[in-house]
Amino acid sequence: VEMENHTRISEFILVGFKSHPGSQLFLSVLFSTMYIVTVVGNICMILIIRMDSNLHTPMYFFLQNLSTLDICYSSVITPRAALAFLLGRRSISYNSCASQMFFFSLFGTTEAFFLAVMAYDRFTAICNPLLYQVIMNRRLCVLMVMGSYLSGCINCTIQTGFTFSLSFCGRREINHFFCEVAAVIHASCSDTFVNELIMLAVCGSIIVGTALVVFISYGYIIITIVQMPSVESRHKAFSTCSSHMVTICLFFGTVFFMYAQPGAVSSPSKSNTISVFYTIVIPMLNPFIYTLRNREVKRSLKKQLKR
C-alpha cells in the first residue's frame, strides 16, 4: 500500500492565479508584453555596451552579463506562464517541472551573486580608485562571473535534488504559476521538515551572505562619498552607484521575503504576486534603471541613435 501511494506521478497542475478566470487573457497579454520588453531592453543594453569601446570596463562587463542573465532568468518562467494563461493548459510534466526549477534556481542564485560582485566592483572603484585597474583585472572579472554561475549550479542541484526526492502521491496541484521550490515542496505528501530546513539554510545563507557583501560595500562607499571634497565628485560617484542600489533594493527585498525567513513554505499563495516581481518585473526594469540613471549609458545611447 505504501509503495502504491508513493507511485511517481507523471505531471503537475499549476494553479497559480486560477481563482480569477476572467483575467486569464489579461494576464497572458501582460506577461507576454513584459517578456518582450525584458528581452528587447536587455538586448539593447548588451548592444550598447558592445558597440561603445568607452564602456569596455569591468562595471559594464558585469552589467552586460547581468542583462544576459536577466533574459535567461525571465525566459525560464514567463513564456510558458503566458501560454498557460492564454490556452488554459496548466499541466506540466514531472521532468519539465524539475528542469524549470533547476534553471530558475540557477539563474536566481547567480543573479544574487552578480549583484554582490557588482557592489564589490563599485567599492573598489570609489574607495580604491588608484588600484582599481590592478585589482579588477580581466582575469578576476571572468573568475567572478564563473564563480557566480558555479554557486548557482551548486544551489540549484541541492534544491532540485532534495525537492524531487519527495513523494507526491495523488496531489498534483502546485499553488503557483511555475515550479517554484517552496510551492512544489508544499504539494508533497512526504514529511517536508528537512526540505524546509535545507531551503531556509541554503537560500538564507546565500541571500544573507550576498546581501552582507552588498551592504558592507555600500557602507564604505557612502562614507567615502561623504568625505569627498567637491560636490561634483560626490554627485558623480553617487550617480554610478544609484542605479545599482535601486536594483539591489528591489531584488533582495522580494527574495528575502520569499526565502530567507522561517515559514516561507507555509503560505505559498502569497508568493504568487511577489514572485512576479523578482521573476518578471525586475529583469524588465533593470535595463531602464541602468539606462535612465547612468550618464555614460545615456551618452552612448544618444551617440548610437545619432549614427
Side-chain angles (χ1 to χ4, degrees):
V1 173
E2 187 178 344
M3 286 183 68
E4 188 177 327
N5 285 338
H6 289 72
T7 303
R8 177 176 162 175
I9 61 174
S10 60
E11 64 177 20
F12 295 102
I13 308 296
L14 300 169
V15 297
F17 296 122
K18 200 174 183 179
S19 57
H20 310 286
S23 62
Q24 298 303 295
L25 179 60
F26 169 75
L27 284 171
S28 179
V29 172
L30 180 65
F31 275 44
S32 298
T33 303
M34 289 195 292
Y35 179 65
I36 291 167
V37 173
T38 299
V39 173
V40 172
N42 281 289
I43 287 175
C44 286
M45 179 62 74
I46 293 167
L47 291 175
I48 289 167
I49 294 169
R50 282 185 174 273
M51 292 170 69
D52 191 341
S53 58
N54 293 323
L55 301 182
H56 293 175
T57 62
M59 175 182 173
Y60 295 103
F61 171 75
F62 294 130
L63 185 53
Q64 182 180 317
N65 277 278
L66 180 67
S67 292
T68 305
L69 185 67
D70 279 338
I71 293 171
C72 298
Y73 189 37
S74 186
S75 297
V76 172
I77 309 296
T78 318
R80 188 182 189 100
L83 202 62
F85 293 141
L86 180 65
L87 303 177
R89 296 176 184 171
R90 291 174 170 269
S91 61
I92 181 170
S93 70
Y94 185 93
N95 291 334
S96 295
C97 187
S99 298
Q100 189 180 59
M101 181 185 291
F102 180 89
F103 287 107
F104 160 72
S105 299
L106 168 63
F107 296 131
T109 306
T110 304
E111 179 136 351
F113 279 95
F114 264 20
L115 293 175
V117 165
M118 292 171 75
Y120 176 74
D121 171 69
R122 290 299 83 209
F123 159 75
T124 309
I126 293 170
C127 300
N128 296 293
L130 298 177
L131 296 174
Y132 179 67
Q133 295 296 335
V134 177
I135 296 171
M136 298 303 295
N137 55 68
R138 179 75 178 179
R139 182 173 176 272
L140 180 62
C141 292
V142 172
L143 285 174
M144 283 180 162
V145 170
M146 290 174 64
S148 297
Y149 274 105
L150 179 61
S151 301
C153 281
I154 293 169
N155 181 48
C156 69
T157 302
I158 292 169
Q159 296 295 342
T160 308
F162 274 92
T163 301
F164 283 90
S165 66
L166 294 170
S167 300
F168 293 95
C169 312
R171 293 186 62 186
R172 299 193 304 153
E173 290 192 348
I174 295 175
N175 190 10
H176 220 299
F177 63 92
F178 69 97
C179 289
E180 190 263 343
V181 180
V184 175
I185 290 174
H186 191 75
S188 172
C189 58
S190 302
D191 180 6
T192 61
F193 176 75
V194 174
N195 290 75
E196 291 182 39
L197 202 62
I198 289 168
M199 189 184 80
L200 181 62
V202 177
C203 292
S205 61
I206 289 170
I207 295 164
V208 172
T210 51
L212 276 174
V213 172
V214 168
F215 293 134
I216 290 170
S217 296
Y218 273 98
Y220 280 106
I221 287 168
I222 291 167
I223 292 169
T224 304
I225 291 174
V226 169
Q227 293 175 345
M228 286 179 177
S230 68
V231 175
E232 186 181 348
S233 59
R234 286 198 297 268
H235 179 73
K236 184 179 179 181
F238 183 76
S239 67
T240 63
C241 300
S242 57
S243 54
H244 189 226
M245 290 171 72
V246 172
T247 303
I248 285 164
C249 292
L250 287 170
F251 183 83
F252 281 104
T254 52
V255 171
F256 184 87
F257 185 80
M258 285 292 298
Y259 298 108
Q261 57 171 332
V265 184
S266 59
S267 53
S269 57
K270 71 179 180 181
S271 69
N272 282 274
T273 305
I274 298 164
S275 295
V276 172
F277 280 93
Y278 67 84
T279 58
I280 302 170
V281 176
I282 293 174
M284 179 186 70
L285 291 178
N286 277 349
F288 298 100
I289 292 169
Y290 283 104
T291 303
L292 297 175
R293 299 192 62 86
N294 190 300
R295 287 182 184 179
E296 292 178 333
V297 174
K298 284 194 286 187
R299 192 183 301 118
S300 178
L301 180 59
K302 287 176 183 177
K303 189 166 69 175
Q304 299 302 330
L305 289 173
K306 283 179 182 178
R307 285 183 182 179

